[in-house]
Amino acid sequence: MTDWFYADATHVRRGPVPATELLRLYQARQIDDRTLVWRDGLAEWVPLDAVRGEFASAGSPAPAASEWTLEALAPTQSDVDSAPAPGDAWRPVTESAHAAAITAAGPAASGSPYAPPTAPVARVDTVVHGGEVVYAGFWKRVAAYLIDGLIVGVIGMVIGGLAIAVLGGIIAVGSDSATGIAIVLVQLLSNLLSIAAGALYYAWFHASASMATPGKMAVGIKVVRTTGERISLLRGIGRYFSTILSALILMIGFLMAAFTQRKQALHDIVCDTLVVDKWAFTERPELQRRELGTVTVVVLAIFGALFGLVLVGVMIAIGFAAM
């Protein structure tokens, strides 16, 4: 009897179950034609409707024993060729040889009902509502911004270095009037490239499958729509430029994430987005964490210590200048 696996309404794999049980679930409306199913021999998970013909005989009763008939068949040439030699007809198979054969054939060859299916499950982004949603706190967001700011800063330094190299070449070979215009154009282009790099960095990562930049992934948070869905690339670009509004009002737009009901900053409110735990709006909401986490604490401690050192250095410099 063929064992089947299926994905339930929450996209959790169930099974193995016989075909009769799968048919019973279908008749009880617990699964439908769009339910993904898999059995040994299928290359990938397929909708139930695509293999419905295999269940046509599952609901019909088996024939009685008296109705079974056997038809005598002459042995074929392949049967004769594969017949064991007289001395090998009852040769026992050792345990080690049996284990080696199973290992060489792979897990699926063992025939164990507990062996997981090897075909990939074709899944789309699923938003699960009804569970608790843990919003990302202010300090988690600060730690993520520090990590991302460091990465974007390195990208900006590379762009700035290229701009300086180009300016050096222009100054070396150009006339005074042409050099002045070229310097302005190169500086303008460098600034535009830095802004575009930052916008694409944040927008692309926020619109990706992880819904998070490297900084947010390290902290364990992500950016979603208020409905829990992934944001689009255009919305991600708009959210990046909306952070300018949050910065223009003395950074108060960023501080709003510390006291608004859903911990939204001003740019989140403008773009209809939320910053939540990475397990929010999934089938595993119990994995969400309210505490800061090790990565957040370490990042805040490192950058806090660096800021303290810079502040002490500035105060020392001011003291020497006043002497």
Side-chain angles (χ1 to χ4, degrees), residues 271-290:
C271 295
D272 190 41
T273 57
L274 295 172
V275 183
V276 296
D277 188 275
K278 67 178 181 179
W279 292 103
F281 299 107
T282 68
E283 63 270 15
R284 300 296 301 277
E286 70 277 4
L287 297 179
Q288 298 178 92
R289 299 175 59 183
R290 295 185 179 276

Side-chain angles (χ1 to χ4, degrees), residues 286-303:
E286 70 277 4
L287 297 179
Q288 298 178 92
R289 299 175 59 183
R290 295 185 179 276
E291 64 273 15
L292 291 179
T294 304
V295 175
T296 301
V297 173
V298 171
V299 171
L300 293 176
I302 292 175
F303 278 88

Side-chain angles (χ1 to χ4, degrees), residues 103-145:
T103 303
S110 64
S112 172
Y114 302 102
T118 57
V121 180
R123 293 185 59 182
V124 296
D125 293 337
T126 303
V127 178
V128 180
H129 294 281
E132 182 185 14
V133 175
V134 175
Y135 302 104
F138 176 76
W139 291 113
K140 280 188 176 183
R141 297 179 65 155
V142 169
Y145 274 123

Side-chain angles (χ1 to χ4, degrees), residues 247-259:
L248 284 177
I249 52 177
L250 303 177
M251 308 300 285
I252 294 177
F254 290 100
L255 293 175
M256 290 173 60
F259 53 81

